[in-house]
Amino acid sequence: MNDRTSILTIPAGVPFARTLARSLLDRAQEQDHPLSETRILLPTRRACRVLQGAFLEENGGKPLLLPRLQTLGDVDEEDLSLSVLGAQGDDALLNLPPSMPPLRRQFLLARLISAVPDFQQDHDHALNLAGALGRFMDHI
């Protein structure tokens, strides 16, 4: 992991949005790292709006460039819009290739997991993780 990549956790029982906003603001000042270069993954668009408000509160109401806030669970109506296909409505863009067989996907994911530099488990563990990752991707 390099210096610019990190995963932050917040203990249960503390206000999530305010704690995250405060810690990221402090980190940006301490490390002279622009907040706008940070990406935050959140479950819904509502969570993004709450975090935007928390940044505003924690910054004393002064405007600032926010990090990139991305949702994991919500689908925007704009994402579903077919207007991006153009005036002709190109049917070729809507045709998806057939899905990969689950066992093949699990082996390919296991290969990727095993290739992670800090991964020091055996291949069976990588296969178990790949299976869980595949189920998670199907769920999303």
Side-chain angles (χ1 to χ4, degrees), residues 42-50 52 71 73-77:
L42 295 165
T44 62
R45 286 179 284 160
R46 181 174 182 228
C48 290
R49 287 190 301 271
V50 168
Q52 287 172 350
T71 60
D74 280 351
V75 177
D76 254 347
E77 290 178 17

Side-chain angles (χ1 to χ4, degrees), residues 13 19 22-23 27 29 35-36 43 49 51 57 68 74 94 107-109 113 115 127 130 140:
T19 305
R22 178 77 270 147
S23 66
R27 183 175 157 212
Q29 288 176 349
L35 196 58
S36 60
R49 287 190 301 271
L51 188 57
E57 279 182 35
R68 288 179 292 168
D74 280 351
L94 294 177
F107 277 107
L108 289 174
L109 289 173
I113 290 169
L127 280 171
I140 289 177

Side-chain angles (χ1 to χ4, degrees), residues 64-114:
L64 72 152
L65 288 175
L66 292 177
R68 288 179 292 168
L69 305 177
Q70 290 182 294
T71 60
L72 293 174
D74 280 351
V75 177
D76 254 347
E77 290 178 17
E78 294 172 7
D79 293 341
L80 298 176
S81 173
L82 297 179
S83 64
V84 297
L85 296 178
Q88 278 79 9
D90 190 3
D91 288 337
L93 292 175
L94 294 177
N95 293 332
L96 297 175
S99 64
M100 178 183 300
L103 191 58
R104 176 175 164 77
R105 179 179 69 175
Q106 186 174 1
F107 277 107
L108 289 174
L109 289 173
R111 186 183 309 159
L112 291 173
I113 290 169
S114 296

